[in-house]
Amino acid sequence: QLRIRRYVNVHAAHEARLAARPEKPDGYKLELPAEFKSETPLKFLPDDPRVAMLQAFGHKNNWSQAEFSEALTIEAARVQADNKSWADYQATEKAKAGANGEARATAIKTFLTGHVGEENMKTIFSGLTSYAQFEAVEKLMTAVATGGGSTYRGNGREQPQAPVVPV
């Protein structure tokens, strides 16, 4: 009789789990638990194939909505860590531009807009993710402005650099 009682309890628990899960895998809502705190709003895209995979896995394993939402926190925490890392990197690179960084950025935007138009400038400028790239565009600006010749410095003229020939 003890075995029958255990079986009934296990079976009831199994039935309760089945009742708590959505009817279909795509019935899981892409919601994070209320206790999950985020500095920036996070949104999961329903057409992301990883979402469908997690929904199918949760459904196969009879997860409730609460269990599914808790599993989403793993991805949310990874995204938060990536965002923080990227923000730290950007702040470090921006600091390398110095006190005149904003003025230098404005000069680059003006130069690019004049040569390739505003839409293309936005595309190019958004791709400048490191200070080395920033400096490279400034060198390009100097080369275009001087026709490849030397520039005047307070301590004399800078020697022109040999053109780079693609191999």
Side-chain angles (χ1 to χ4, degrees):
Q1 205 171 45
L2 185 58
R3 278 194 250 177
I4 292 173
R5 210 174 301 182
R6 280 190 209 155
Y7 172 77
V8 169
N9 288 340
V10 168
H11 182 69
H14 178 71
E15 290 297 317
R17 286 185 66 75
L18 288 177
R21 78 175 187 173
E23 231 177 86
K24 298 184 294 183
D26 63 358
Y28 287 107
K29 296 176 187 153
L30 303 179
E31 299 170 347
L32 292 166
E35 62 271 8
F36 183 82
K37 301 298 178 213
S38 176
E39 295 172 9
T40 58
L42 297 172
K43 183 178 179 185
F44 293 95
L45 302 175
D47 57 346
D48 183 336
R50 296 172 298 170
V51 167
M53 290 171 63
L54 185 61
Q55 287 171 320
F57 183 82
H59 198 262
K60 181 177 102 179
N61 290 285
N62 301 319
W63 285 355
S64 66
Q65 176 63 49
E67 291 168 318
F68 180 81
S69 292
E70 190 173 341
L72 284 177
T73 63
I74 296 168
E75 176 64 7
R78 184 199 63 77
V79 167
Q80 276 186 322
D82 285 354
N83 288 347
K84 182 175 180 347
S85 177
W86 179 246
D88 291 348
Y89 171 79
Q90 286 179 311
T92 300
E93 293 300 301
K94 187 174 182 178
K96 291 176 184 177
N100 294 331
E102 288 300 320
R104 292 168 69 190
T106 299
I108 289 175
K109 288 177 183 177
T110 302
F111 170 82
L112 290 172
T113 300
H115 285 81
V116 298
E118 188 169 353
E119 286 304 310
N120 289 324
M121 175 278 293
K122 289 177 183 177
T123 301
I124 294 169
F125 195 81
S126 68
L128 300 179
T129 58
S130 73
Y131 182 65
Q133 292 170 322
F134 193 85
E135 283 187 312
V137 173
E138 287 181 322
K139 287 179 182 178
L140 176 65
M141 290 168 52
T142 300
V144 169
T146 63
S150 63
T151 57
Y152 180 77
R153 304 275 176 168
N155 60 354
R157 292 207 172 262
E158 182 181 277
Q159 294 300 312
Q161 295 181 0
V164 177
V165 179
V167 180

